[in-house]
Amino acid sequence: MERAEVFVASPGRNFVTLRITTSDGVTGLGDATLNGRELAVASYLRDHLVPLLIGRDPARIEDIWQFLYKGAYWRRGPVTMTAIAAVDVALWDIKGKVAGLPVYQLLGGRSRDGVMVYSHASGTDVPSLLDDVAKFRDQGYQAIRAQTGVPGLGGSYGVRKGEVYEPANGSLPDEQPWSTEAYLDFAPTYLREVREKFGYGFHLLHDVHHRLTPIEAARFGKSVEDLRLFWMEDPTPAENQEAFRLIRRHTTTPIATGEILNSIWDVKDLITEQLIDYVRTTVVHAGGITHLRRIFDLAALYQVRTGSHGATDLSPISLAAAVHVDLTVPNFGIQEYMPHVAETMQVFRTNVTLKNGMLDLSDEPGLGVEYDEKAAERFPYDPKYLPVARRLDGSVHDW
Ligand code: GCO
Ligand code: MG
């Protein structure tokens, strides 16, 4: 590797991008975006990893992964694993370009014709949520996540405010009220309204955003069993993998978790004890294609399927990398998908296409993504933070 550059830009939202150039002039791109903590990863890359890459053979992807992971002494964690992921994905991009093959061919070729996605329907209230669901049904999506603001709580959490869902906002975190009681009474009622209005001919998903205790999550799962959710996502914080055992004992509503987890160790018990149905780790936050495949292979042994995070705080590079992986793994489940805003697409060019709720990509070598450095200069870094939830007594709650 001759050069590795880190770009921080905010075309619609903040993204950190790594570009590696080989001595033959081949370039590879990696996403290094960690929502609300972008500069920490940029510094990890610029100050600590880039100097280690120069002069190293870009073909040795596995060896470089081990070198960066074990060589750091400090293992795991979102900043480290996002930085390693960016290097790993850029090296797969380079390998594909050198071989003249798309990355999915290097991963074993297609296991399926396309990648089923779920979109985000949301609204500040139930009528606007139902309008959003109708819009996505009309657009041909086969799976839809439904979220709406809880009455009396100021419309917070996981809900679109303007045209797009973008919770990171403001140069200081927005502190929003939360009541588990109000949520537990309300959420099942609007999910029921969605089923009553639109029927069972599509997959319905819901994100709990880690806001319940295990027994509350068990109650929620039980109360929506007849609505046949595709999954309830992040029903409880996952630091304690054991917690999911209690939820599992009480409900057949499928469980998904993993978007904030970074390594195979963080999901090991969840997978091997079959405490979840879908693992949501991503290329960008879980160590790149090399490590994600290891997680997905472990999951396949236990009939756990994939359902990678794909909100717009993951850059188009991550989305493309996800589609390459999703096309190949035998235990693919679903891919989260939100279209990036127009400003983002002025900076990133990809060949990812959407048709009938399925993503696909062309046979372009590598990842099939280009980064327009000049266009990115028009969008300087713009600090934005995710909101923080406080219970009605003022104490901090889980996101
Ligand atoms: C998801 C996530 C988003 C988060 C965002 C935080 O399932 O897509 O939970 O809703 O808001 O990705 O960075
Ligand atoms: Mg989520």
Side-chain angles (χ1 to χ4, degrees), residues 61 64 167 240 272 293 326 362:
I61 300 181
I64 290 169
N240 177 14
T272 60
R293 276 228 300 178
D326 295 340
S362 75

Side-chain angles (χ1 to χ4, degrees), residues 118 145 207 209-210 233-234 259 280 309 336:
Y118 69 91
R145 154 184 140 160
D207 192 348
H209 276 126
H210 328 265
E233 176 179 331
D234 292 335
E259 69 179 51
R280 302 198 66 248
H309 187 200
E336 181 179 14

Side-chain angles (χ1 to χ4, degrees), residues 239-284:
E239 290 100 320
N240 177 14
Q241 300 182 41
E242 292 254 323
F244 286 71
R245 199 168 294 139
L246 192 145
I247 307 174
R248 211 35 155 188
R249 258 185 226 136
H250 293 283
T251 179
T252 56
T253 295
I255 302 173
T257 200
E259 69 179 51
I260 65 167
L261 303 179
N262 321 112
S263 82
I264 198 162
W265 303 104
D266 305 329
V267 290
K268 176 174 98 24
D269 300 343
L270 293 172
I271 290 172
T272 60
E273 296 186 31
Q274 294 179 301
L275 301 177
I276 56 171
D277 302 280
Y278 296 91
V279 61
R280 302 198 66 248
T281 41
T282 59
V283 203
V284 55

